[in-house]
Amino acid sequence: RVNTYLKLPTWSPPNIESLSGFVSGSFNAVDVEGTPYKSLTFAHGDPEKALYYLKMIYNESNDYIRRQDEEERNNRRSYLEDRLNSTNIKEFRDALVNFLADEARKDMMAQGNLRGVARILDPPYVSSRKTSPSMLVYIGFPVIFSAAISIALILLFVLVRKE
């Protein structure tokens, strides 16, 4: 009731939007300089939980991409089969059979445990160094910036009053 009285946000059950906000605030992807690779980090108070979330995000994204690829392959295969059934020209039929064979090869490769999203060069690990937000960024810069603005406004007010 106090939060409602003070017009502060009240508790609401978790949903996709709150999950997205949680993940986007903790998840960071940085380009590795001089390479086409990215370094992914996930910050959390509990290092083991951060490792768990990082692995979970990777596995879920891999499963999602795998399902999308499977749906695309099924659509391509059904299209090729329809075209094969409706075509009577031998050269076209041979080409369509070759395309179907290529799709079958792709299906066989997809059945393996190959990762579809990314290749992990270094497995996820928990850093031995604890990281925390810089106090300078969260307190120092705002205080310095506020002081500078205050001094500028006071000087402006004094100069305008002298005239």
Side-chain angles (χ1 to χ4, degrees):
R1 291 191 314 203
V2 173
N3 282 356
T4 306
Y5 180 73
L6 296 176
K7 296 186 178 169
L8 296 172
T10 57
W11 183 87
S12 62
N15 57 23
I16 295 295
E17 186 179 351
S18 63
L19 175 65
S20 172
F22 171 72
V23 170
S24 66
S26 303
F27 191 70
N28 190 18
V30 179
D31 291 331
V32 176
E33 201 171 312
T35 68
Y37 302 112
K38 295 202 180 281
S39 174
L40 306 178
T41 58
F42 190 87
H44 193 274
D46 179 14
E48 294 303 319
K49 196 80 144 172
L51 183 61
Y52 168 76
Y53 284 137
L54 189 59
K55 287 179 178 180
M56 182 180 65
I57 289 169
Y58 174 75
N59 290 331
E60 288 299 318
S61 60
N62 188 59
D63 291 344
Y64 177 74
I65 296 294
R66 191 179 290 267
R67 283 192 303 271
Q68 281 186 329
D69 288 347
E70 184 177 357
E71 185 178 325
E72 287 178 18
R73 282 192 313 274
N74 289 338
N75 290 340
R76 282 194 303 267
R77 186 174 45 249
S78 65
Y79 172 77
L80 289 172
E81 288 170 351
D82 289 344
R83 297 298 297 173
L84 183 64
N85 292 333
S86 65
T87 302
N88 294 327
I89 300 171
K90 182 179 178 351
E91 289 83 14
F92 289 160
R93 289 181 65 81
D94 291 342
L96 289 171
V97 167
N98 286 335
F99 288 144
L100 277 170
D102 287 341
E103 288 299 318
R105 277 190 221 100
K106 290 177 187 175
D107 282 343
M108 285 190 295
M109 289 302 292
Q111 297 303 321
N113 287 332
L114 301 174
R115 294 293 183 177
V117 174
R119 182 187 310 159
I120 298 179
L121 298 179
D122 292 328
Y125 66 93
V126 176
S127 175
S128 60
R129 292 182 303 148
K130 192 170 182 96
T131 59
S132 62
S134 171
M135 294 303 283
L136 182 63
V137 171
Y138 288 106
I139 295 175
F141 287 143
V143 168
I144 292 170
F145 182 73
S146 299
I149 294 292
S150 299
I151 290 171
L153 287 174
I154 290 170
L155 287 175
L156 183 64
F157 181 72
V158 168
L159 289 175
V160 168
R161 249 188 107 131
K162 278 188 177 181
E163 292 179 359

